[in-house]
Amino acid sequence: MRASQVISDASLNPAALVLVLAAGAAYLAGARRAHPRWPVRRTLSFLAGLAVLAAASETGIDTWSERLLSVHMAQHLLIIVGAAPLLVAGAPVSLALRTLPRGGRDGLVGLLRTPAVDALTRPPVALALLTAVLLATHVPTVYDAALTHPVVHGLEHATYLWAALLFWAPVIAVDPLPHRLSPIGNVGYLLAAMVPMSAIGAVLISSDTVVYAPYLASARAAGVSALADQRSGATVMWLGGTLVLVAATLGAAWVSMLREERRARAREAQADRRAAGASPAGGPR
């Protein structure tokens, strides 16, 4: 098995492709209508997220994810730490609020104020949801079902995407959602997300047997040791996911320091203005 095979051995999923193309078309239509002008960086981010999502679901990555655990783990990471944060950074909710007709805008505002959205967008709930999704879908019976039933596989990916969107929303914080994280909370939130990925990786890499039985035959057919591939997949999940989250944590800490520096400068400037206003108007000539 060569890397070129993973890229080229595509198996198109028409339903997923239609959804990706429809989302891109709707976003571009909104970006053209937006006034004032919609930021290009937001558009590029959203389209990049869709491209990553398409790469995960419409190329040979999806085909080989059913044959090799390492590719399946890479596919999961593309969705969770690749596509999802890019889509969130595109600020689709803000774009919709700016460009929808009044009825649609009022409906979206009403939806954002519902108890369900309020609950799901709370950072502890979003983190718990992503953790539960990751752990539950890697239980062997559930994982094996996703490998053997295309509908279950599709539902698994949809669940990953929506859980990841909710997870990244308070970190990137560009849309008007009910809850936001403090700078310190942001760092702790990202660090906590490393735990389930590390746990899954640790279990798989330490196992002396193949955890997911369907890979025994498919890995052998690809000329790969199923146990060696399992350890490669564990490394992808453990190190790959952790590296992205570490980078996000460092970025969040850096942004926090820059904001605090700006606040300190603003306080100093305000203090200087007050001191200047309190000084005597005249002085010795």
Side-chain angles (χ1 to χ4, degrees):
M1 192 274 296
R2 298 187 300 273
S4 59
Q5 288 179 272
V6 176
I7 300 299
S8 62
D9 193 6
S11 177
L12 294 181
N13 182 334
L17 184 60
V18 167
L19 287 174
V20 167
L21 292 175
Y27 189 97
L28 288 173
R32 283 195 297 269
R33 290 197 304 269
H35 183 79
R37 186 178 179 183
W38 188 247
V40 173
R41 70 181 185 281
R42 298 288 181 214
T43 301
L44 292 177
S45 177
F46 191 83
L47 294 180
L50 291 179
V52 173
L53 197 58
S57 62
E58 301 299 323
T59 68
I61 292 173
D62 190 54
T63 304
W64 280 87
S65 71
E66 298 177 4
R67 304 172 188 174
L68 295 176
L69 175 64
S70 56
V71 180
H72 206 157
M73 290 299 191
Q75 184 184 44
H76 290 175
L77 287 186
L78 284 173
I79 295 170
I80 295 167
V81 300
L86 287 169
L87 292 172
V88 171
V93 176
S94 296
L95 178 61
L97 289 172
R98 189 182 293 188
T99 58
L100 283 174
R102 183 171 181 177
R105 187 166 59 250
D106 291 345
L108 180 55
V109 169
L111 177 64
L112 293 174
R113 292 175 177 170
T114 59
V117 171
D118 180 81
L120 289 172
T121 55
R122 290 180 182 274
V125 174
L127 175 60
L129 179 62
L130 180 62
T131 299
V133 167
L134 283 170
L135 295 179
T137 55
H138 285 88
V139 171
T141 52
V142 178
Y143 195 101
D144 292 353
L147 289 176
T148 53
H149 300 287
V151 172
V152 177
H153 199 178
L155 288 174
E156 176 192 56
H157 289 172
T159 304
Y160 279 160
L161 179 60
W162 282 104
L165 290 173
L166 290 170
F167 169 80
W168 286 105
V171 175
I172 298 171
V174 292
D175 275 326
L177 296 175
H179 306 287
R180 292 176 181 267
L181 287 162
S182 68
I184 298 299
N186 219 344
V187 172
Y189 181 78
L190 289 166
L191 290 174
M194 299 178 194
V195 175
M197 292 187 182
S198 299
I200 293 167
V203 168
L204 293 176
I205 208 167
S206 62
S207 177
D208 293 327
T209 59
V210 175
V211 175
Y212 305 118
Y215 283 127
L216 283 167
S218 58
R220 188 183 306 115
V224 177
S225 162
L227 188 58
D229 180 62
Q230 177 173 289
R231 289 171 178 159
S232 297
T235 302
V236 169
M237 174 61 77
W238 195 344
L239 293 184
T242 298
L243 285 174
V244 173
L245 291 171
V246 165
T249 303
L250 293 175
W254 178 253
V255 169
S256 176
M257 287 190 294
L258 290 178
R259 287 176 178 170
E260 185 55 39
E261 184 179 354
R262 285 197 294 268
R263 291 191 192 102
R265 288 178 179 175
R267 288 193 295 267
E268 289 173 4
Q270 188 176 21
D272 290 343
R273 286 194 296 270
R274 288 175 179 172
S279 298
R285 293 181 180 272

